[in-house]
């Protein structure tokens, strides 16, 4: 299945080395080894989040918190501005002798909108950063990769064109993988 | 045996969180089994009942829209009745879900994982039921549906942002949206698991789409954990704010029995109280029929009992304070409301039912044997659902029907439409819930796996389920 | 202003008027609102109709959703309805003249007011009718009229509804054969000629009592042509007793005219002079004027079997059976005689020794009457027999009230006697086959006539019966020929007030359903049926040559002013009574020796004799005392109920003589024991859709020899129960122990006049006090900068609870009705309701009423809870409803401490007929389903005046702007105006020491304030009954 990729001139298939590890712990060790061995674009695929993967993969601090903060603040501002505009600026009315601008009465909606936009940005933010939805990914080409969402722990390495496959596979095995294979993006 | 050592880190708690020897695979299969398994007779039976109730709901709603609110029992002075009672009741029930999944998550309560998916779903469906009423109970829903939103209308009038009802609109819609997002975000990895363990192509396709191409990437997990925790962090004050704001509908008014500063905490406690009762009402049969006994263990149920005991006592304290303040304030109308109208008035029956169900019943859980007797637990939870409905009846109807001027006092009696609407929402809730049980894992598979590993990697316990 | 002339009167004869002694203070009263605690019996939906016969869903006309039943009628009359619209929009052909000089052509949007008159039982009430583009929309009293003085009764207010009533008779017909008016005239001419041959021997006219000089003249001319013919007047509620009494006393039939203004002490003997009768409106005004708290305040004693409006205003009320009144009166007379009233000596022996009524009471009363000789007034009610009226006349004479508080004059009605006796005579004639043609213009005699006459059967024996009627009622079903009548607002005629003053009745609109005027029907018999009432009327008055100068000028002035000057009737002078002779004549007449429970028939304050039964307004108007709607009830006292083992709402079989009817029981406070009161006017079986199936027909027991009172009635439990539709539900407030501040405040005159009394202390607590204001979070909005600061003051001391304001408001503001079932559910729509509170024992309660509409709180709790800004405050302090913005959350109503907001739970206006829609006030939005509504202080009137005065470049003066309720109020209890005008009446009342704010303690700062009720108890009786009973007494009522 993987040969045709080279003949094609227009389309350059991305290649990945995929390796299964027996347990979360071994996966962590393996990942760290591979990263120290100088491999870039490492990624792991596990049925559940594993403690310490961030370090193993050498990831930076996540961006979500900042996004959420901005969302929440925006929500609060929008809410208060809206209330002020409607009931104080645009058309103030005598509502049972209450002053048009009553801060205490504005708290609930201000808070709710802050939460709404904050939560919304947490959700949207995640999918944006994860570039999801993404129906196809080369790594799905791997036969038993579907166990990645069930009970298997995978390490994947995206290989720049012209990498020495065998050496890579060897390194992976060395880092404690049960099995390792090369998958290649199919043209569809 | 190994089971006790599973949670040896918790010496006070003899029962395990996960019973028996498991691998990720076995957990995966056992927890997804009920999705793949064809619907059994039992399910269809329940579904039929639920659907027929739903049908009644449709009829009742159409009739209400066709004739007007006059087909309900409401009058002057009792301008609000079943509609608002049901609204508050359902919203309250919804709260347990968010509370369990969010607050327990923040407090890293391990036992939450087995029930949070369940509870979150319940939240969603309860809020959907609740949302029906504020709309239906208005005189002109066809306007209410958009006049409450601040949009530049031709007549230039804006909503009135000092009204608790306006706050409600924002609170409840926010609550629904956030709950939905939170629920779905938690569901994505499990959908991937469903996708990958599904046998037929169609299922694979559908769950595949829902899973959005999730591939358990470590980079994703990194952001995912954060956004999940942040959503939880936001939901926690949200869930408190929502019922607080609902309580403002009453607390900000001048009516004796409504005008009470203790309402916000007391409503929230009540919400959690009723919410847990509802979770239990559904969880007990579910764990039996869906084969979830190994993840929803007696320990979970016991913990819920304890929470209900606590929240039940908070609610009782609320009642106590209401009566105390009514006496202490020296306000004759307050006093009359609590010591005559409620205790001896025409609707005293509802009051005493409330006292029995919400104050007396939970006390049984002081005793361990009741915390372990499933049947008793289940009936108690039913009683508490009833009691909490009665509480709302007391607040809404009993307070209104005798307020200040004796000349305008009036009795209230519901009509068939009122009752049908209420039963109907139970039908709607059940329908949605049964569908949920049929098509979505009722337990957060991913989180259970994670939990299993955390426990397994406990230094004091020997590795379990590792494949050597 | 009424108080001013009262003071004048005061100064005028203060010399001979000794001021009354003042009662001391007593303890704070406890209030309760009814008999048994309905608390534990929540109304069972549906059970409503077990008596009336089930209807599924009740529409605003009180019938099954209307559609099903009324639908047919509507479709059938669609063409007529459309024609009606046409008819309505063009002005009547004859020239009618607006009240104030205005360009005659109608300015769209500018209503015109026309003066006219309406006669309930023949006597004129001068009215001003508002007309929009030729459609009468609102009835007001004519200020220039001596009887109404600008006020109205609820009956008069309801005229603008009945004129558009789709149920009205619409077709002249003989049997089922429709006739054209021309054909009818032709046939009548033929018949008249044949009758004329034998001098009209077989020709009889059964007419309603009328004071019309015009009709009297017509009658004269008919009798000229048919000397053998006869006219008989009949009204089922007649005043024959009074007339006969006068005859006994003075030897000739006379009618008494009463004056409450000069009266220091009033004794009403079974006389509801504030609630019914021809003098009601004027007497209410005069009475209220004398109730201003001062040393000159009058004192009212009432002796009656069942609580009435007058009884509720009493300082001392004695409940006696109707037939015991005579005994009480003679006891009083003998007591006065024994105290040296020589004139009464001959009558002293009537009592046969035994005393009726509480001796202490008698003594106190007698002393009071003596003390204020010449300024006392004794009134006997129409239900009392001639003997009582005769004695009352004697008493008034003896106390030389004659000429001061009471006058006599010859009856103005064309027949002195209008009751059962003349009708019985007619029945005789018919039975003997002496009647060939009977023309009936009286209102529904078949229903009203004494049942023993079997009038319906008799009519079959008359070859030709012609019935001139507004409705296809019971009588219509029993006659050969029907002539649909023109409504009073469609007719030309004239009427005389009690003092004789003539008013010309001018039509507001051309007859909608081709109704024929009474004059035309009568004229047909002198061959002038086609001339037209207008011409005939003008001819008649031209011939009178009343006023000098050109007739057209006078005519226009009479029409415009609503009265014909110089037409007052003379007062009988030099009346004297021969006591001995009177004693002789009366002795046999006094009721004696009858045994058994007493049955008492009563006119209904809502439907009168049943003629208003098809008016949804009046059907749904809460009964002034019982607050009952859509039904009548057999009323008995608690003791009687206990004795008979009956409970409220039991359906009993009432058997009297050989007749029986089923009736629901209502146990009412203050009712005489061993006596049942049956209101007339219900249980109608005519073709009217609203009237059908409402209540029971007490008339089915009424015999011609005992029109009002008799003994020997039995009540037997049927086991069935009935569900009343009562707007003020039966709750006890204090008996269950709760102590909430009483909504009504009352005090004895002594407390009011003593500035340091506890009463004034209490009131200080119940109104804003500049010294120590209520704590406020927000700075109160300052309205002083505005041109007006609208506000209202309601004087509980003047309000009699007559309910004219309720109907006035309904008419002015297009307020819908909701039907019986919805009233039971608690959805009545009246913007102003009259709350009723009892105080004291259940047997002898004192009653206070409190009109309550939106009080326009400055810190309105309803406003801040509305999510869509549908209720907001205006610059001038009105609490405004924005109907088209309302989405109907009902939150505002929940948060209204006064519960004065009303909600359209269903689309009540759905089945309004095309005709009824024409009666709507075009200045007021008609509210549809799902909308909240409430009192607006008649904002449409404010704006109209604002525009009018702006055009004149001036401000609205105090008093020139009146709300509908204020304008309709006979006692001027309601005052509306601007607080920014320091001299306005309302400002003065807001500064009155009796002012208090309802629910002041919750800080709503209402713009409508109340003035405390004042009672003027006789110190010798102060302890008991009257003003302030002891706590334990009131408990007694509830054990």
């Amino acid at each position: 299945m993987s040969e045709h990729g080279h003949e094609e001139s227009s389309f350059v298939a991305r290649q990945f080395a995929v390796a299964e590890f027996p347990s979360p712990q071994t996966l962590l060790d393996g990942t760290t080894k591979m990263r120290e061995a100088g491999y870039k674009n490492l990624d792991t695929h596990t049925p559940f989040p594993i403690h310490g993967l961030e370090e193993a993969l050498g990831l930076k601090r996540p961006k979500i918190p900042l996004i959420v903060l901005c969302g929440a603040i925006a929500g609060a501002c929008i809410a208060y501005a809206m209330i002020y505009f409607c009931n104080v600026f645009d058309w103030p009315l005598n509502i049972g002798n209450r002053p048009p601008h009553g801060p205490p009465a504005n708290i609930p909606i201000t808070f709710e909108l802050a939460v709404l936009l904050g939560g919304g940005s947490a959700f949207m933010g995640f999918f944006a950063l994860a570039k999801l939805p993404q129906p196809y990914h080369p790594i799905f080409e791997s036969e038993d990769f579907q166990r990645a969402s069930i009970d298997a722990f995978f390490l994947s390495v995206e290989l720049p064109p012209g990498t020495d496959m065998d050496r890579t596979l060897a390194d992976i095995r060395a880092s404690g993988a049960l099995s390792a294979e090369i998958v290649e993006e199919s043209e569809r | 045996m190994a089971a006790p050592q599973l949670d040896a880190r918790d010496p006070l708690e003899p029962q395990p969180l996960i019973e028996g020897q498991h691998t990720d695979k076995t957990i995966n299969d056992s927890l997804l089994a009920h999705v793949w398994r064809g619907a059994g007779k039992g399910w269809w039976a329940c579904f039929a009942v639920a659907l027929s109730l739903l049908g009644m709901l449709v009829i009742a709603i159409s009739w209400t829209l066709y004739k007007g609110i006059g087909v309900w029992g409401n009058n002057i002075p009792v301008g609000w009745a079943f509609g608002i009672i049901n609204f508050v009741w359902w919203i309250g029930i919804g709260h347990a879900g968010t509370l369990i999944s969010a607050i327990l998550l923040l407090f890293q309560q391990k036992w939450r994982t087995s029930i949070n998916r369940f509870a979150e779903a319940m939240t969603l469906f309860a809020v959907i039921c609740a949302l029906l009423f504020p709309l239906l109970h208005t005189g002109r829903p066809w306007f209410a549906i958009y006049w409450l939103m601040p949009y530049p209308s031709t007549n230039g009038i804006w909503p009135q942002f000092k009204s608790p009802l306006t706050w409600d609109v924002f609170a409840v819609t926010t609550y629904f949206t956030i709950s939905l997002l939170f629920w779905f975000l938690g569901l994505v990895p499990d959908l991937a698991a469903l996708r990958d363990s599904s046998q037929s192509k169609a299922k694979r396709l559908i769950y595949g789409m829902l899973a959005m191409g999730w591939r358990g990437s470590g980079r994703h997990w990194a952001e995912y954990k954060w956004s999940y925790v942040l959503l939880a962090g936001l939901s926690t004050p949200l869930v408190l704010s929502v019922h607080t704001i609902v309580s403002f509908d009453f607390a900000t008014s001048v009516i004796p029995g409504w005008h009470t500063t203790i309402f916000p905490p007391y409503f929230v406690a009540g919400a959690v109280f009723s919410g847990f009762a509802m979770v239990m009402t559904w969880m007990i049969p579910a764990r039996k029929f869906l084969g979830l006994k190994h993840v929803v263990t007696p320990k979970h149920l016991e913990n819920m009992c304890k929470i209900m005991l606590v929240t039940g006592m908070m609610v009782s304290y609320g009642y106590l304070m209401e009566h105390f303040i009514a006496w202490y304030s020296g306000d004759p109308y307050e006093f009359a409301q609590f010591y005559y109208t409620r205790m001896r008035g025409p609707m005293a029956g509802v009051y005493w039912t409330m006292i029995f169900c919400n104050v007396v019943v939970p006390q049984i859980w002081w005793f361990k044997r009741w915390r372990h007797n499933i049947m008793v637990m289940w009936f108690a939870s039913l009683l508490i659902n009833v009691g909490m409905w009665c509480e709302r009846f007391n607040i809404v109807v009993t307070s209104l029907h005798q307020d200040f001027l004796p000349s305008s006092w009036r009795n209230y009696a519901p009509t068939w439409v009122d009752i049908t609407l209420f039963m109907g929402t139970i039908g709607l809730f059940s329908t949605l819930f049964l569908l949920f049980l049929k098509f979505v894992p009722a337990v957060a598979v991913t989180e259970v796996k994670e939990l299993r590993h955390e426990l397994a990697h406990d230094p004091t316990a020997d590795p379990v389920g590792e494949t050597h | 202003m009424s108080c001013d002339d009262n003071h004048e009167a005061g100064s005028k004869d203060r010399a001979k008027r000794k001021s009354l002694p003042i009662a001391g203070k007593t303890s704070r009263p406890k209030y309760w609102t009814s008999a048994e605690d309905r608390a534990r019996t929540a109304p069972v939906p549906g059970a409503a109709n077990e008596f009336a016969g089930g209807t599924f869903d009740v529409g605003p006309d009180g019938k099954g959703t209307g559609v099903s039943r009324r639908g047919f009628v509507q479709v059938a009359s669609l063409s007529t309805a459309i024609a009606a619209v046409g008819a309505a929009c063009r002005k009547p052909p004859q020239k009618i003249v607006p009240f104030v000089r205005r360009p005659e052509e109608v300015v769209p949007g500018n209503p015109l007011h026309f003066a006219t008159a309406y006669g309930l039982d023949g006597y004129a009430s001068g009215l001003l009718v508002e007309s929009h583009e030729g459609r009468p929309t609102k009835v007001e009293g004519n200020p220039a009229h001596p009887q109404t003085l600008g006020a109205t009764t609820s009956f008069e207010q309801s005229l603008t509804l009945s004129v558009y009533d789709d149920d009205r008779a619409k077709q002249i017909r003989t049997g089922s054969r429709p006739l054209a008016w021309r054909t009818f005239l032709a046939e009548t001419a033929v018949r008249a000629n044949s009758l004329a041959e034998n001098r009209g021997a077989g020709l009889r006219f059964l007419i309603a009592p009328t004071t019309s000089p015009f009709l009297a003249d017509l009658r004269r001319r008919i009798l000229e042509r048919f000397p053998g013919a006869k006219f008989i007047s009949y009204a089922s509620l007649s005043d024959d007793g009074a007339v006969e009494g006068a005859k006994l006393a003075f030897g000739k039939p006379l009618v008494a005219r009463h004056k409450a203004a000069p009266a220091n002490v009033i004794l009403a003997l079974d006389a509801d002079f504030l609630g019914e009768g021809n003098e009601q409106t004027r007497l209410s005004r005069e009475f209220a004027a004398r109730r201003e708290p001062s040393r000159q305040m009058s004192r009212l004693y009432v002796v009656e079997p069942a609580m009435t409006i007058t009884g509720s205003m009493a300082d001392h009320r004695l409940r006696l059976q109707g037939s015991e009144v005579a005994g009480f009166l003679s006891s009083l007379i003998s007591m006065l005689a024994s105290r040296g009233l020589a004139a009464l000596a001959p009558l002293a022996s009537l009592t046969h020794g035994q005393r009726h009524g509480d001796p202490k009471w008698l003594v106190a009363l007698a002393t009071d009457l003596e003390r204020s000789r010449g300024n006392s007034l004794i009134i006997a009610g129409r239900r009392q027999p001639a003997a009582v009226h005769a004695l009352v006349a004697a008493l008034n004479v003896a106390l030389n009230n004659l000429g001061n508080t009471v006058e006599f004059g010859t009856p103005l009605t064309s027949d002195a006697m209008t009751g059962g006796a003349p009708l019985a005579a007619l029945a005789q004639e018919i039975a003997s086959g002496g009647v060939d043609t009977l023309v009936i213009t009286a209102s529904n005699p078949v229903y009203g006539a004494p049942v023993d006459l079997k009038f319906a059967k008799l009519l079959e024996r008359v070859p030709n019966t012609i019935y001139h009627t507004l409705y296809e009622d019971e009588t219509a079903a029993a006659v050969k020929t029907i002539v649909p009548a023109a409504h009073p607002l469609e007719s030309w005629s004239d009427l005389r007030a009690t003092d004789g003053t003539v008013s010309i009745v001018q039509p507001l609109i051309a007859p909608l359903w081709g109704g024929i005027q009474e004059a035309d029907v009568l004229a047909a018999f002198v061959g002038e049926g086609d001339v037209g009432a207008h011409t005939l009327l003008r001819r008649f008055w031209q011939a009178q040559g009343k006023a000098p100068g050109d007739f057209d000028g006078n005519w226009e002035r009479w029409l415009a002013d609503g009265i014909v000057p110089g037409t007052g009737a003379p007062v009988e002078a030099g009346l004297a009574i021969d006591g001995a002779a009177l004693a002789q004549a009366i002795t046999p007449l006094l009721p004696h020796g009858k045994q058994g429970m007493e049955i008492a028939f009563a006119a209904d304050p809502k439907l009168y004799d049943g003629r208003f039964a098809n008016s949804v307004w009046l059907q749904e108007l809460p009964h002034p005392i019982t607050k009952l709607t859509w039904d009548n009830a057999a009323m008995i006292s608690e003791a009687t109920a206990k004795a008979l083992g009956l409970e409220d709402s039991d359906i009993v079989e009432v058997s009297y003589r050989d007749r029986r009817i089923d009736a629901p029981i209502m146990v009412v406070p203050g009712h005489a024991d061993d006596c049942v009161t049956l209101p007339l006017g219900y249980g109608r079986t005519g073709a009217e859709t609203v009237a059908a199936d409402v209540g029971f027909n007490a008339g089915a027991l009424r015999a011609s020899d005992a029109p009002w009172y008799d003994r020997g009635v039995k009540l037997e439990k049927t086991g069935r129960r009935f569900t009343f539709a009562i707007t003020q539900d039966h709750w006890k407030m204090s008996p269950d122990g709760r102590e909430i501040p009483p909504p009504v405040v009352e005090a004895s005159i002594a407390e009011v006049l003593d500035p340091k009394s506890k009463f004034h202390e209490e009131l200080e607590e119940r109104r804003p006090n500049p010294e120590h204001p209520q704590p406020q979070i927000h700075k109160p909005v300052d309205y002083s900068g505005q041109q007006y600061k609208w506000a209202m003051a309601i004087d509980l001391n003047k309000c009699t609870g007559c309910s004219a304001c309720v109907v006035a408001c309904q008419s002015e503001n297009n307020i819908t009705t909701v039907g019986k079932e919805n009233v039971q559910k608690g959805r009545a729509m009246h913007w102003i309701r009259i709350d009723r509170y009892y105080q004291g024992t259940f047997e002898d309660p004192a009653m206070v009423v409190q009109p309550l509409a939106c009080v326009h709180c400055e810190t309105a709790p309803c406003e801040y809870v509305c999510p869509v800004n549908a209720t907001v405050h205006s610059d001038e302090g009105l609490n405004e409803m924005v109907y088209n913005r309302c989405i109907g959350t009902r939150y505002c109503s929940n948060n209204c401490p006064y519960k004065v907001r009303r909600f359209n739970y269903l689309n009540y206006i759905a089945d309004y007929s095309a005709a009824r829609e024409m009666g709507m006030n075009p200045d007021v939005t008609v509210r549809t389903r799902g909308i909240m509504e409430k009192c607006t202080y008649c904002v449409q009137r404010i704006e109209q005046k604002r525009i009018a005065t702006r055009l004149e470049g001036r401000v609205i003066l105090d008093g020139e702007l009146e709300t509908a309720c204020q304008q309709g109020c006979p006692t001027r209890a309601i005052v509306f105006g601007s607080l920014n005008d320091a001299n306005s009446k309302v400002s003065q009342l807001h500064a009155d020491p009796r002012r208090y704010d309802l629910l002041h303690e919750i800080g709503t700062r209402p713009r409508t304030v109340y003035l405390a009720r004042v009672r003027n108890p006789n110190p010798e009786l102060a302890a008991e009954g009257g003003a302030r009973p002891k706590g334990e007494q009131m408990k007694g009522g509830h054990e």
Side-chain angles (χ1 to χ4, degrees), chain B residues 63-81 137-144 147-148 151 153 155 157-166 248-250 252-255 258 331-333 336-337 340-341 344-346 348 400-415, chain C residues 33 38-43 45 56-57 65 725-729 731-733 736-741 743 822-827 833 835-837 852 861 863-869 882-891 893-899 901-903 905-907 928-932 998-999 1001-1002:
Chain B
W63 187 242
T64 306
L65 294 178
Y66 174 67
K67 290 290 288 183
I69 298 303
V71 299
W72 297 6
N74 303 33
N75 58 23
I76 306 293
V78 185
W80 286 353
H137 98 292
T138 60
R140 304 198 292 175
W142 49 93
F143 289 134
W147 276 5
L148 284 161
Y151 74 102
S153 66
N155 53 14
I157 304 183
W158 299 105
Q160 204 275 95
F161 288 103
K162 290 182 189 72
S163 166
L165 282 190
T166 324
F248 284 165
D249 288 349
F250 308 101
T252 58
S253 80
V254 300
I255 300 302
W258 284 18
D331 176 341
Y333 300 104
Q337 172 61 221
Y340 291 100
T341 305
R344 322 174 200 175
L400 280 176
H401 92 294
Q402 292 186 2
D403 59 347
F404 291 96
L405 300 178
S407 57
S408 53
W409 292 353
R410 270 268 163 203
N411 229 327
Y412 165 83
T415 66
Chain C
T33 58
R38 278 281 185 76
R40 296 188 185 290
T41 64
F56 165 54
D57 180 6
T65 355
I726 302 172
T727 55
Q728 188 174 328
D729 218 337
W731 301 91
K732 288 185 282 182
M733 47 189 288
D736 66 2
R738 68 182 72 191
E739 289 289 348
I740 59 179
N822 280 295
V823 173
Q824 281 167 335
K825 286 206 174 88
R827 297 170 179 174
R833 65 171 198 258
D835 292 347
R836 174 257 293 130
Y837 297 97
L852 182 57
E863 289 177 2
Y864 70 88
V865 297
C866 175
V868 291
N869 269 329
V882 188
Y883 298 130
N884 60 354
R885 177 66 174 174
C886 178
I887 59 174
T889 66
R890 302 185 297 291
Y891 199 175
S893 167
N894 290 347
N895 206 28
C896 171
Y898 308 88
K899 290 291 178 285
R901 291 178 156 262
R902 299 286 172 260
F903 186 67
Y905 274 100
L906 295 165
N907 198 10
T928 174
R929 153 192 160 189
I931 292 177
M932 189 62 69
L998 190 55
L999 297 182
E1001 57 271 35
I1002 57 177

Side-chain angles (χ1 to χ4, degrees), chain C residues 419-473:
Chain C
L423 192 67
L426 174 67
Q428 275 302 327
E429 285 187 303
I430 297 177
S432 62
V435 179
D436 163 75
T437 301
L438 176 63
V439 181
I440 306 174
T441 61
S443 92
N444 201 2
V446 165
Y447 172 81
V451 58
D452 54 340
L453 295 185
K454 304 206 170 47
F455 203 68
K457 279 226 155 312
L458 281 175
L459 287 181
E460 290 168 8
R461 313 192 41 179
V462 181
N464 309 309
T465 41
I466 300 167
Y467 180 37
H468 178 254
T469 177
L470 265 182
Y471 292 101
E472 300 256 355
D473 53 24

Side-chain angles (χ1 to χ4, degrees), chain B residues 93-149:
Chain B
I93 285 170
H95 278 44
T98 335
L99 189 96
I100 291 170
S101 44
I103 297 183
L104 296 189
L105 173 71
L106 295 184
F107 291 130
Q108 310 205 329
Q109 291 297 307
K110 304 215 167 312
W111 61 279
R112 103 183 233 288
T113 52
S114 319
I115 54 171
N116 69 322
R117 166 72 40 75
F118 201 87
E120 289 164 30
M122 210 188 63
T123 299
L124 280 182
F125 307 146
V127 174
I128 289 173
C129 294
L131 279 170
L132 281 175
F133 289 102
L135 188 58
L136 280 178
H137 98 292
T138 60
R140 304 198 292 175
W142 49 93
F143 289 134
I145 201 164
Y146 66 100
W147 276 5
L148 284 161
M149 288 299 149

Side-chain angles (χ1 to χ4, degrees), chain A residues 87 91 93-99, chain C residues 778-779 781 783 863-864 869 873 1005:
Chain A
N87 285 179
W91 193 344
L93 285 158
N94 175 354
I95 304 296
N97 205 109
R98 273 73 174 168
Chain C
H778 306 303
K779 198 169 133 296
V781 172
Y783 293 92
E863 289 177 2
Y864 70 88
N869 269 329
H873 242 64
R1005 298 221 305 279

Side-chain angles (χ1 to χ4, degrees), chain C residues 1007-1022:
Chain C
R1007 282 281 177 91
T1008 300
V1009 303
Y1010 291 90
L1011 272 63
R1013 171 76 174 268
V1014 182
R1015 294 195 193 265
N1016 183 9
N1018 184 327
E1020 291 130 62
L1021 294 171

